Amino acid sequence: MQANAPSLLGLTARFLERPEHREAVCRDTLLLAWRNLSGLCNTPKPQQWLYDILGSRLYSQLLALHGSQQAMQRQVAALGESSTTVGSPTGPRPAILNGEALATMVKHAIPQPPSQHLLAGLEALIEAEIEQRQAPLTPTGERVYPPLFDSSLQWRMLRSRTAFRLKEAFKRSLGRPLEDKLFQRWLAGKPGSAWLEEQGLPRRSVEAYAGEKLDLELDPTALTRGLNFHESFPNPVQRRKISNFFLWPGPWDQTTHTLANTKRQRFIRDIWTHRLDLKASESHAQLMAELAEGKPLRSHHQGLLLNTEARVLTYLDRYRLYMEDMFCFGFNPALGKDPLGIAIDSQGGMIKSNKGLHRLAMAQTVGLERITVRVRAVHRSWWEHNTGNAKGRAALENVIATLPLSIQDAYGRATG
């Protein structure tokens, strides 16, 4: 990978004046390529794969520098290039930044030697990701990121991890088999089916049966509402149990909030807006203020402690790199621990549930055209309206067949 740095730096010199900008683009390009090497085998033109990544990263950099695609087009015109565009995960981009065009252009670029700062930074990033493969586990089973991990977190992580594993083991050995057995009886319409449907149907069994039929592709801007579980399910007993069911009764869909106004969305937008200088972000200022007060961000659930400015910047840069990856390669449902969950309300509209909120915020912020979501719950009244007189397997198939139409209607309401 590092052997490509001179040619990439020479090529970026045509677009970027400042050496630090060229090195940032080159570093990210090589890191993203290293992260996604498995995709190289699936591309029809492997010789230009690296330049496709470079083109995406250049486009992101130029957008941040110039502020809009219109300003970008003016720079393209100033270079004497065509204003034609090509498709991408975020829509049309200047054809000059296509991998094929850049692979041709690099033949005429003068290679530039990378600085030690660039090489050391890239090596440190790759080493951290290699070390992560053997790093301690968070309570829910993800590997911590070594540059952000602190040994003082380990005991609480271990206790939470043990509790989580015991809970999951109980589900696998007793809960799931019982749920699946009851669900199979419901599918076949056997005695007890009405009771199980009244309880709400076991969500995990429904997902295991329906599989990808519950996965839908849509424009992320169609998701504008989020669910607040404490407000929608004020009864703590119901709140603890509701995520185990596929059918949700009651007025839970009447107390949603606007996703664009959430703290999570503001955090992601702030990082992307200040991606050229994360020190200028509000998030950096807030985290540094907490550090100065002796209250650095600490999370044993994520396995991180931001007790230095270097760690604060690393933490923010991790999110930035996730977005650059998404900006280049599009949405990959396999990267998250859980699918992006949605719930269908009583009118057939979509409400974002509590899985994948950061990834949705990223997709909306970078402007992805398509993402994949999974229906994890539906309102009981909507279920009853769309099942008709069918029972068991036929009822579920009727609802599944209706889902794409529901999504289209909801998107029409959101954009209309």
Side-chain angles (χ1 to χ4, degrees):
M1 283 292 176
Q2 293 181 357
N4 293 285
S7 59
L8 295 182
L9 287 169
L11 185 54
T12 57
R14 180 165 186 176
F15 300 90
L16 301 169
E17 295 181 3
R18 296 173 60 175
E20 61 269 29
H21 287 172
R22 301 173 199 166
E23 292 207 341
V25 168
C26 178
R27 180 199 63 223
D28 289 354
T29 297
L30 294 173
L31 178 63
L32 292 174
W34 184 87
R35 279 184 175 181
N36 293 276
L37 276 175
S38 59
L40 182 59
C41 302
N42 302 321
T43 180
K45 297 180 179 180
Q47 68 275 13
Q48 70 182 50
W49 178 76
L50 181 63
Y51 295 100
D52 281 326
I53 301 173
L54 175 65
S56 175
R57 184 58 186 84
L58 262 174
Y59 183 61
S60 168
Q61 188 84 4
L62 291 168
L63 274 180
L65 287 168
H66 297 284
S68 69
Q69 187 163 353
Q70 290 72 26
M72 278 276 301
Q73 294 290 2
R74 288 195 292 270
Q75 180 175 1
V76 169
L79 290 171
E81 299 292 342
S82 168
S83 60
T84 59
T85 59
V86 294
S88 79
T90 60
R93 297 181 185 177
I96 190 177
L97 298 178
N98 176 261
E100 184 176 1
L102 292 173
T104 300
M105 200 182 303
V106 76
K107 299 174 183 177
H108 308 289
I110 300 174
Q112 297 184 6
S115 69
Q116 284 302 118
H117 179 265
L118 168 60
L119 295 177
L122 179 61
E123 183 178 358
L125 286 169
I126 292 177
E127 283 184 356
E129 301 215 359
I130 293 174
E131 291 175 7
Q132 188 177 23
R133 298 171 182 173
Q134 302 299 323
L137 294 171
T138 65
T140 52
E142 298 85 24
R143 298 285 179 183
V144 302
Y145 186 58
L148 300 178
F149 177 67
D150 190 271
S151 59
S152 64
L153 303 167
Q154 200 150 7
W155 174 239
R156 287 196 66 190
M157 285 174 56
L158 180 60
R159 284 191 304 170
S160 296
R161 174 72 179 150
T162 301
F164 178 81
R165 292 182 67 181
L166 288 172
K167 181 180 177 181
E168 291 301 301
F170 174 80
K171 289 179 182 178
R172 286 193 303 270
S173 61
L174 295 175
R176 276 302 303 280
L178 178 59
E179 287 179 349
D180 289 344
K181 185 174 182 179
L182 291 172
F183 180 68
Q184 290 301 319
R185 292 181 61 84
W186 176 84
L187 286 173
K190 293 183 178 180
S193 297
W195 172 84
L196 188 65
E197 186 169 325
E198 180 63 27
Q199 295 302 304
L201 297 181
R203 177 186 60 81
R204 287 176 287 269
S205 300
V206 173
E207 287 192 43
Y209 170 82
E212 293 182 354
K213 293 179 181 179
L214 294 174
D215 292 343
L216 303 169
E217 285 198 6
L218 49 81
D219 184 332
T221 60
L223 291 172
T224 60
R225 295 184 297 155
L227 194 65
N228 185 315
F229 275 80
H230 281 79
E231 293 179 2
S232 293
F233 303 102
N235 185 316
V237 176
Q238 184 188 30
R239 187 166 61 243
R240 285 196 299 269
K241 295 180 178 180
I242 197 66
S243 61
N244 295 322
F245 299 113
F246 188 70
L247 305 181
W248 291 0
W252 57 267
D253 55 340
Q254 303 303 309
T255 54
T256 60
H257 59 265
T258 303
L259 287 174
N261 297 331
T262 62
K263 181 179 179 181
R264 184 179 288 101
Q265 290 269 352
R266 294 195 299 270
F267 171 70
I268 293 299
R269 286 198 301 268
D270 180 43
I271 293 174
W272 190 243
T273 300
H274 297 94
R275 60 190 181 275
L276 297 184
D277 181 11
L278 292 173
K279 288 185 177 181
S281 67
E282 293 179 9
S283 302
H284 179 269
Q286 179 181 341
L287 291 168
M288 289 302 297
E290 292 172 0
L291 176 58
E293 294 173 0
K295 301 176 182 178
L297 177 62
R298 175 192 296 265
S299 171
H300 74 277
H301 291 290
Q302 296 176 276
L304 60 86
L305 174 62
L306 306 187
N307 58 350
T308 66
E309 183 177 17
R311 288 190 171 199
V312 168
L313 288 170
T314 298
Y315 173 71
L316 298 177
D317 201 49
R318 289 274 288 170
Y319 283 100
R320 181 192 66 82
L321 283 167
Y322 286 141
M323 284 187 272
E324 292 287 4
D325 194 300
M326 193 178 284
F327 192 74
C328 178
F329 296 100
F331 185 78
N332 184 351
L335 288 182
K337 177 178 177 290
D338 297 290
L340 262 67
I342 64 169
I344 304 298
D345 68 15
S346 58
Q347 303 302 311
M350 298 177 294
I351 302 176
K352 184 71 190 73
S353 60
N354 63 341
K355 297 292 184 182
L357 288 165
H358 276 106
R359 280 175 288 152
L360 174 62
M362 292 179 195
Q364 292 177 333
T365 298
V366 304
L368 288 192
E369 292 190 325
R370 307 296 286 177
I371 61 172
T372 303
V373 300
R374 172 166 293 181
V375 178
R376 311 203 80 172
V378 301
H379 198 286
R380 182 179 292 279
S381 63
W382 186 83
W383 165 275
E384 293 171 350
H385 176 75
N386 288 281
T387 54
N389 295 322
K391 301 295 181 182
R393 191 185 309 271
L396 182 55
E397 293 295 342
N398 285 352
V399 166
I400 290 173
T402 309
L403 284 174
L405 300 177
S406 171
I407 298 303
Q408 292 173 19
D409 291 344
Y411 181 60
R413 292 196 297 272
T415 58

